Amino acid sequence: MMRRTPLVGRAAELRHLVEVLDGGAPAVVDLTGAAGIGKSRLLTELCARAADRGMTVLRGRAAEFERHIPFGVFTDAFTDLDAGPPDGPDAAAAAPVLYGVDAGGIGADAERFAVHRATGRLLTRLGRGGPGLLIALDDLHWADPASLELLDHLVRHPPRTPVIIAVARRDRQTSPSLTAALTRGVDTAAVLRLDLGPLPEEACVARLAPDLAPGLAPARAARLYAASEGNPLYFLTLLQGQAGAAVPDGGLAALLLDELTPLTTAQRRTAEAVAVLGDQATAPLLALTAAVPDMARLDADLAALARRDLLRPGPGDSWSLRHPVLRTVIHENTEHRRRTGMHRRAAEALAGAGASAAVRAHHVERALAARWDPDLAAVLLDAAEQSATTAPASCAHWLEVVLRVLPDTPGNAVRRRELRLRRARALSVCGALRESRDLLHEVIAEVPEGDDGGVRAAAVTLCASMERHLGHYPAAVSLLRRELSRTPAPGPADAVALGLELGSSAPHASAYPTVRADVQRTFELARTLGNEPAAATALAIAALGEAYEGNLASAREFTDRAGARVDALTDRDLADLCEPLARLGWAEFYLERYTDAERHADRGLAIARRSGPLHLLPHLLLCKAIVHMTTCRLGSALELTDEAESIARGIGSDELLALVLSNKAQVLIAALPPGDRTSLTVAEEAVAATGPRTSWWASLAWCVLSYAALHGGDPRRARSAMLRAGGGPDLAALQPSMRPLFLEALVTAAVADGDLPAAEAWAARARRDADLLDLPAQRAAALRGEGQVLVGRGDAAGAARRFVQAAEEAGRSGATLWEALSLLFGASLTADAAAAAPLWEQGHRLAAAGGAGLLTGLADLVRPPTPEPPTASATAPDPASASPAAGSARAPVSTAASPARAAVPPASGPTGGPGFPALTRREQQIAALVAEGLTTPVIAARLRLSPRTVDTHLSHIFHKTGVTSRSALAALTARSTPR
């Protein structure tokens, strides 16, 4: 038997891991590399050193053949708790992770986002009050989707106590969603990635070979090393086999299988049973799976396999094969009928032991593949039902397995349609919009018109929703109108569902008035049926439609009625209708009712995180983010848009991604310091994602590109982009209720470009629109536009009065960001220093408190001088420096037109001690390297980051410290470093 190999050739990686244990590195470690490269060995060393420090160590492993068991890798890890699972409300909510989905009836009603948060709190509790907690997750490339969602949550929201999560995975076999989640963590310094390459020859030939194969000639060991290409698993396998030839494709499997040659038939069956059972391979289950009636004989076989180092004992009388690669080879080379029979017996044995349907499902899946069996199918359907809310991807998979083997006979036609509809719903919930849409089209084509039990209408409604969220609005509207006009007509309940979706889809393809009558009919029908959630939904649709169009009297009426109805409903009533809360929140935002908008967005988020479809979360997150931005809470606004982006990128909808990036770019403009071009890059990606489409969201993307271009000092591009957003010179495509804000950008761009006649015309139109809307923030935008025109005419005093009036209007609505912007511009244009000072101080205070990096940078540039009042020409901001967008700060400053001086941190800023405590560890590293005079590419190479990531960190550093240049940052770093 070969002894456990020593750890060689990984000194650098081990040094990084020791730093993690000592609290000097991120709380998440990502070990990547090819199969057999030594990830598990390094993870074992990390666990041993953590245990030596007294840390609690939980180790779980994902398995290739159980990749649809929800939360499987985490459940496996939690079995290592010596004191048993903890108790309390968080443990109850995290039951699907602790025990598996519905294990023993526990956690059947849990919902996946609530599970994520409860698990995070539980880990915080476990890591508190001691040396800490290490969770080591091996073979994560095989983890189930629910586990990956949970890990993504923990990377974005790490526990606040000494908790380390270390994962090992094969990079090439890792899902794109997991790769993206971990890469984002690397970029934000939340994740330490260690890419394991081949071992050096000296480590294998001079250290491993003499220790494990004494007497082997060094020259032969060198040939074995060359054949293995430095892969330790391959090298050890060749070393054990004493084979000198290179390993051809498939040769490793042959070498591993050669180890089984000396085994007796019974011993080989036992090894095969261990491969089938995986983590459940205990002696009693092995006896039933391998059909060995004599336990003494089984014990003898297990001992013989352990002596050959094929099997290794584990906790709880369990057994495992020496390596996952060996398990794969044995499982796949077990004769098909024998393997199927083992999986069937394993499922029966687990049922007898009280295992949940979800735990048995992967065995049932392989047994069912042989022939249709209603009893086995029932297990998969139970597993799908149990995982519908906690692990919708697993639910969809098990339904697919049943559908694949369900006999395609006329007698099964109705059942097949119902199961496909259930699967489409599960796919929609987990964000697989295209797959759900394609399946629903198949269902619709197969369902006869007439008495179908509502399957057809449900399929059409969900299919149209998928088309809408994919940005295919005409297709959605056509599908819905055809269904509503068919003969025989849909029943009243179906007509309500179809009408609500029509009201949601049609305004994206045409103006809301084209569907106004349909929404009213739907509301009346819902009210007649006593369907209060549907009636509230119809009112929310009407509220948003009227608010968008600028029909504010109607919008206020519908918003009041929708709000009253929604507030009277319970969360259970709204469980399947959290989207109306997003619509209501956006309507309230457009009406400048920011408190109500945030309240309804929060309620929608709470419901959506428990049970709502994944694709609805970004809409609610963005609503809250834009409210936070407008009321000048930029830090939380950025966090909300980051979360929305991570979801949108995983869903695969270009339209949704464009919406998210448009709003994120708005927040970035306000949050980052003057001169930062990150927002322009994000806005350009948003426009690219919209493609040639025309819709609400496409128009918004072009508007935001206009603001970002203006912020970047390109007024001509800003003007062109805004005209593109408006559909031409008449600007008919611009959102009517936000048009004064959009026109302000055109005014500012025209003034900067020297086209005063165009600026005056757009300013006059903005004033007319603002008077019709009678909304304070929109009136403030019109006043700022007039101020920009006066700046262009050289009337600084008149411009200052307009900006001060704008600040008063913005303050009345609670739009703190706009208030601060207007105050700072008013201060910069006020000739009397004594009068300018309080304006500047108030604007600076609001901007600094809200984390508005753009405005604090502007404040630095326009601070009223103390000795003598500035002239209007000396203090007037560049007309191209202030162009507010719908929901973000638009005040880029041209330093060429402003007093140039070194920026210093404000007294209330985040400095005040060595190392800048408000900066993250990564930001402190970058600040120190900047102080050394290093360029972005050199810093990127040293820290193993991308240059763009370094620049993003620099933007955050400038924002937090209040400086606006590398030289100022270097000087500040020098002053803050103890000597």
Side-chain angles (χ1 to χ4, degrees), residues 753-773:
D753 209 25
D755 189 353
L756 276 181
E760 290 169 348
W762 281 322
R765 182 171 179 182
R767 185 57 180 260
R768 290 194 300 271
D769 285 350
D771 288 342
L772 289 172
L773 292 170

Side-chain angles (χ1 to χ4, degrees), residues 418-461:
E418 291 172 347
L419 290 177
R420 294 174 87 183
L421 180 59
R422 281 179 59 187
R423 181 167 184 266
R425 284 200 184 101
L427 289 169
S428 74
V429 170
C430 64
L433 305 190
R434 283 187 170 83
E435 192 176 354
S436 176
R437 185 270 316 271
D438 293 344
L439 180 58
L440 289 162
H441 275 299
E442 295 176 9
V443 173
I444 294 166
E446 294 174 0
V447 177
E449 296 186 3
D451 185 14
D452 58 18
V455 170
R456 181 184 177 87
V460 169
T461 302

Side-chain angles (χ1 to χ4, degrees), residues 721 811 840 965 971:
W840 184 91
S965 68

Side-chain angles (χ1 to χ4, degrees), residues 181-259:
L182 292 171
T183 299
R184 283 193 300 274
V186 172
D187 288 344
T188 61
V191 175
L192 170 68
R193 175 169 294 164
L194 298 177
D195 296 307
L196 303 189
L199 286 178
E201 182 173 359
E202 188 273 339
C204 290
V205 174
R207 298 180 63 187
L208 277 181
D211 185 66
L212 300 173
L216 183 69
R220 189 165 192 185
R223 288 197 298 273
L224 295 181
Y225 173 82
S228 72
E229 298 181 344
N231 184 296
L233 174 64
Y234 296 1
F235 179 73
L236 294 173
T237 302
L238 291 168
L239 198 65
Q240 187 176 25
Q242 296 289 290
V247 181
D249 290 343
L252 177 63
L255 287 169
L256 292 173
L257 286 172
D258 190 55
E259 292 189 64

